[in-house]
Amino acid sequence: MDDPTRRPGPPTDGAAAHRARRTVLRTVLATAAALGTGTLAACGSDGGEGDSSPFTGEQHKGGRVLAVKVDNVTAARPQNGLDRADIVYTEQVEAGLSRILAVFASDLPATVGPVRSARESDIELLRQFGEPALAFSGVQSKLLPTLEAAPLRLLPPGELTDGYERDPGRRVPHNLCLKARRAEQAADGASAPRDIGYRFGSAPGGGRSTDRHTVRYPGARFTFTWSADRGRWLVAMDGSPARARGGGRLAPATVVIQYVTVRPSRFHDSSGSVTPYTETVGSGDALVLRDGTAYEAHWSRPSASGGTAFTLADGGDRLPFARGQVWVALVKKS
């Protein structure tokens, strides 16, 4: 799926005109998003009002939303910057492997990566953030027009020529890193953090005590182990402890296993493997891990422009997350 021949390059006159048309579209969408945000914020007292983040429940929310597509094969680990993300999504890609979409706003690292190519599913997933910036290394040629028409501030290397660097200690294509602060500066018009449906607060009653849970994709797995000392879930990828490059263990406060429809898309990679499409609009079951407890839950996202609400399966009440980084594993439902 990584197609270096289709990475958007320096703008031509036609490209400039296309971006001008997209700017008008972005203005309309941003206005609608701003109106919608006010409505969402009024729906709950723990959805990120004031200075608190609607993504983590912690005090600093940040200025703009930056999403980065991150490699997750063995050669790409340990990744740069994942410990500083507000939200980390894991998803299935070709050949049953996994890839990561990391969302930043409140705490930008120096670099994020290795950066890899975008997928069609990213457009639907990111719509709930309004018009975020998206950093990615390339895209399949047939998908490029759809991606360019989406309400996203696109930041591939061809658009942000001074925003990427190669790590000489790694081999291509697992060595392209984003300069996150430069990307944030370049993300003109990108949305500010807004309510995407999460709620934060004390742990509810019920649930079942658990200290470990494994999420399996056809060709990858993630294991989350509760650390009472740290009050966090320690992440392992394919059986090995997951660390941030130059940092410690990856350790979210809340882990969401969201069971979704994963179907074949209209795209495939150079070897013929079909690209999965992960549907994140709709509803279904979920499992939420927090504070050493697993809660059976239900998720609902009626429209692409709206957020995702998580409720307790046995009562319908909103399920509050623990404050801190959130990991969401998008897993094919049975």
Side-chain angles (χ1 to χ4, degrees), residues 5 20 109 192 207 287:
T5 66
L287 186 70

Side-chain angles (χ1 to χ4, degrees), residues 152-240:
L152 297 166
R153 176 65 172 96
L154 302 180
L155 297 175
E159 292 283 346
L160 190 63
T161 55
D162 62 344
Y164 290 83
E165 61 186 13
R166 292 283 181 183
D167 182 346
R170 301 190 190 210
R171 60 182 174 85
V172 176
H174 312 292
N175 67 346
L176 183 66
C177 288
L178 175 75
K179 300 176 184 177
R181 292 172 188 139
R182 175 68 188 95
E184 196 271 345
Q185 292 169 0
D188 295 333
S191 296
R194 70 179 197 177
D195 188 350
I196 60 166
Y198 295 177
R199 296 294 178 266
F200 299 89
S202 301
R208 66 177 187 276
S209 179
T210 186
D211 60 6
R212 179 173 297 190
H213 187 85
T214 296
V215 170
R216 299 183 186 277
Y217 296 99
R221 72 183 190 275
F222 296 84
T223 298
F224 303 96
T225 302
W226 175 246
S227 169
D229 291 340
R230 293 192 56 182
R232 293 291 186 269
W233 296 90
L234 304 181
V235 182
M237 298 178 181
D238 300 325
S240 298

